[in-house]
Amino acid sequence: MLTFEHQFATLPEPLWAACQPTPVAQPTLIAFNEPLAVALGMQTRPDDATLAQWFSGNRLPPGAEPRALGYAGHQFGNFVPQLGDGRALLLGEVVDQQGQRQDVQLKGSGRTPFSRGGDGRSPLGPVLREYLVSEFMAAVGVPTTRALAAVTTGERVIRQMAEPGAILTRVARSHIRVGTFQFAAVRRDEAVLKALADHVIARHYPAVANADDPYLALLEAVTARQAALVARWMSLGFIHGVMNTDNCSIAGDTIDYGPCAFMEQFDPQKVYSSIDQGGRYAFNHQPGIAQWNLARFAETLLPLMREEGEAVVEQATEVLRGFTARFGAEQCRLHADKLGLAPESDRAVALMEALETQMHQGRMDMTATFDALTHYAKTLTHYAKTLGAQALSTGIPAHSQKEALLALTTQPDGLAAWLADWENAQQASQQCERLEAMRRANPVVIPRNHRIQAVIDAATEGDFEPFHTLLAAVTQPFDESEAARQLAAPATASEQVLRTFCGT
């Protein structure tokens, strides 16, 4: 049983509204994340029927006090002063075994005071997508919300057509967003804004409490986390799809996956989301959008900061300028890991930029490219160690791995030239020490769009075995077994899924 606390409920009521979930017809458990439940302090696993009742909202877990959270947001650049949890309810907070406070939230549990005419429900597809992708992100070490449970409702949800309904139970370090601060700021109630900021400092950034200006220091801390987060996204080819300010977590976690996807054939302008018609949230726009979102956060904090007038604006602007350097430093570190180079290598950035050009021009799959490069690096290191540089120079032992890499591109001559440069850089690094970091940076399996769609199609017909098979694979993303590699294969031309959709 989880032990709920309700710290957020001590904040002023404009930031939340008490609300009960709407019962569903026939809840059935799809999945329950037992390791996560244990980490949250659940010592005994309830039976499936009880879990289905709890995580559908039909019967609340003991101690839960559901509340919908209020927030505003810039949606595709347009400000909406009131959004809020239109289909989600915070059950409360749990202090996990590491002493970290975690929110537990139902998503898809019915209408709330913030629903704005919506039905408050979620189709099955987005629930399965978020479960798979968020658990993959956790497995590769990207800060993220987590999936605790998923249930079907026994009811249909109308979107483009009638679809099975489902509810996700989500765990997060918090559900406070940039949009939460905008929601407080637009009401021009400085007491509410200050209470929210102080809550965030105490919960997420206690080290800044003693700074000369805690609110300026808060801006700097949130900026650092967002810069690191987006760099991690980019290193995996992840495209969030809807980087609105209401989807930007103050805790620095990936939140609200919606129409997200992982890029396959490398294209810096890639967009999957069906609602992103103008490409605002394309792959290579994500750092700039994160910085833009942070500027909106900074605007809400200005009334709380110590300085006034132009001085405070300049201070905040200087912090925002620092996003680029923070992002660049984290990206450089990740480039070195992905290429198997020493962290201090001065060639990582140039080599990565050149490889990205090769991947784009050669229509190469990003994940498959780095997986194959990791295998090639492993082969080079093994033979250099056992046979010596002279034997390696013949190219014979590593030939098959190199050919596998060259087979991924339509421009093999350009990639071969790049590989020669990369091999020289590799020889200057401590290769053996870098192989483990290289493997950890380059997953074998990702939740590819066509795999997720196949899971959704099967589940819509009542077959959840493909979901559990894919979940097992993406939560062991560095598994190099034959079974894992079958699920790792890129989509064929007929399998490609080029558009993803929100569940709202």
Side-chain angles (χ1 to χ4, degrees):
M1 190 173 297
L2 300 175
T3 302
F4 285 104
E5 299 180 4
H6 304 282
Q7 195 179 82
F8 191 85
T10 64
L11 293 173
E13 194 166 340
L15 297 173
W16 55 267
C19 182
Q20 293 297 309
T22 305
V24 300
Q26 189 176 352
T28 303
L29 188 69
I30 301 168
F32 178 61
N33 191 336
E34 293 193 40
L36 178 56
V38 171
L40 293 173
M42 183 178 284
Q43 300 301 319
T44 304
R45 184 194 191 279
D47 59 44
D48 284 5
T50 299
L51 291 172
Q53 290 292 317
W54 284 356
F55 297 130
S56 65
N58 275 17
R59 178 160 58 90
L60 291 173
E65 296 178 6
R67 292 174 174 84
L69 307 188
Y71 47 85
H74 277 87
Q75 299 195 312
F76 289 88
N78 300 307
F79 184 64
V80 181
Q82 180 166 303
L83 295 168
D85 288 334
R87 58 176 182 152
L89 289 172
L90 176 67
L91 297 181
E93 304 127 21
V94 174
V95 178
D96 66 20
Q97 293 186 337
Q98 304 301 314
Q100 174 74 54
R101 185 173 295 272
Q102 304 279 0
D103 284 359
V104 181
Q105 181 200 64
L106 298 181
K107 187 176 180 182
S109 53
R111 299 190 73 240
T112 79
F114 300 108
S115 290
R116 295 179 297 150
D119 62 11
R121 294 303 191 189
S122 176
L124 176 61
V127 167
L128 298 183
R129 177 180 291 273
E130 181 160 347
Y131 202 119
L132 290 163
V133 178
S134 63
E135 287 305 295
F136 166 79
M137 294 291 250
V140 295
V142 176
T144 180
T145 60
R146 300 288 304 275
L148 178 60
V151 300
T152 54
T153 63
E155 301 174 350
R156 309 292 282 184
V157 173
I158 305 298
R159 294 297 182 261
Q160 282 82 8
M161 61 184 72
E163 304 174 55
I167 298 172
L168 177 75
T169 302
R170 183 164 72 180
V171 174
R173 286 194 288 180
S174 82
H175 285 86
I176 299 171
R177 310 135 188 277
V178 167
T180 314
F181 278 81
Q182 292 178 297
F183 184 77
V186 78
R187 280 154 178 75
R188 300 186 182 278
D189 188 334
E190 193 170 309
V192 172
L193 182 63
K194 185 178 186 303
L196 177 62
D198 290 345
H199 172 86
V200 167
I201 289 171
R203 181 167 177 177
H204 298 296
Y205 303 97
V208 311
N210 296 321
D212 289 341
D213 186 339
Y215 307 108
L216 181 66
L218 173 61
L219 174 62
E220 188 164 11
V222 173
T223 297
R225 282 197 190 174
Q226 283 293 326
L229 176 67
V230 177
R232 294 298 304 271
W233 289 358
M234 305 286 279
S235 76
L236 294 166
F238 178 74
I239 305 171
H240 185 281
V242 194
M243 287 180 67
N244 297 330
T245 57
D246 53 293
N247 295 335
C248 181
S249 162
I250 290 297
D253 294 341
T254 316
I255 192 171
D256 290 340
Y257 283 88
C260 66
F262 289 87
M263 183 162 58
E264 297 197 20
Q265 188 179 113
F266 187 85
D267 178 358
Q269 294 289 330
K270 191 66 177 177
V271 174
Y272 286 97
S273 172
S274 62
I275 60 176
D276 192 4
Q277 299 295 324
R280 176 180 174 88
Y281 300 137
F283 174 72
N284 69 335
H285 293 174
Q286 292 180 127
I289 289 295
Q291 190 177 34
W292 190 89
N293 288 346
L294 289 163
R296 309 288 76 76
F297 177 50
E299 288 167 352
T300 71
L301 293 178
L302 291 178
L304 302 180
M305 292 180 186
R306 189 178 65 182
E307 297 292 341
E308 297 180 355
E310 292 185 6
V312 70
V313 172
E314 181 54 37
Q315 279 187 333
T317 302
E318 190 62 28
V319 171
L320 294 169
R321 290 192 190 107
F323 176 93
T324 302
R326 290 181 180 278
F327 173 81
E330 180 67 7
Q331 190 174 56
C332 183
R333 183 188 70 78
L334 292 166
H335 287 348
D337 284 351
K338 290 186 75 67
L339 295 173
L341 303 179
E344 66 276 8
S345 172
D346 59 359
R347 301 195 58 190
V349 173
L351 279 168
M352 183 61 78
E353 290 175 350
L355 179 56
E356 288 178 347
T357 298
Q358 290 300 319
M359 288 193 292
H360 190 205
Q361 293 177 348
R363 304 174 64 83
M364 299 175 72
D365 181 273
M366 182 177 179
T367 302
T369 296
F370 284 105
D371 179 38
L373 187 67
T374 302
H375 272 270
Y376 185 38
K378 184 177 180 180
T379 302
L380 290 174
T381 301
H382 171 74
Y383 282 103
K385 184 177 180 180
T386 58
L387 301 180
Q390 184 174 0
L392 181 61
S393 67
T394 66
I396 296 172
H399 180 74
S400 62
Q401 295 294 343
K402 188 172 186 177
E403 288 302 307
L405 255 171
L406 295 174
L408 296 175
T409 180
T410 61
Q411 306 286 333
D413 290 344
L415 182 60
W418 180 88
L419 282 170
D421 288 342
W422 171 76
E423 288 171 23
N424 288 333
Q426 273 267 298
Q427 290 171 11
S429 298
Q430 296 294 318
Q431 293 173 324
C432 292
E433 297 175 6
R434 299 303 299 153
L435 278 178
E436 184 178 350
M438 190 179 186
R439 175 77 286 171
R440 289 196 310 270
N442 297 320
V444 176
V445 182
I446 62 170
R448 293 181 180 272
N449 263 352
H450 70 296
R451 299 292 183 195
I452 293 175
Q453 191 58 52
V455 161
I456 293 171
D457 291 345
T460 300
E461 299 300 319
D463 180 7
F464 289 92
E465 185 176 349
F467 166 76
H468 290 290
T469 298
L470 185 58
L471 178 62
V474 299
T475 52
Q476 297 291 329
F478 307 107
D479 181 8
E480 301 189 52
S481 69
E482 185 59 34
R485 291 203 170 279
Q486 289 178 0
L487 288 173
T492 64
S494 63
E495 291 174 327
Q496 288 184 6
V497 176
L498 301 179
R499 285 290 175 266
T500 52
F501 300 88
C502 281
T504 52

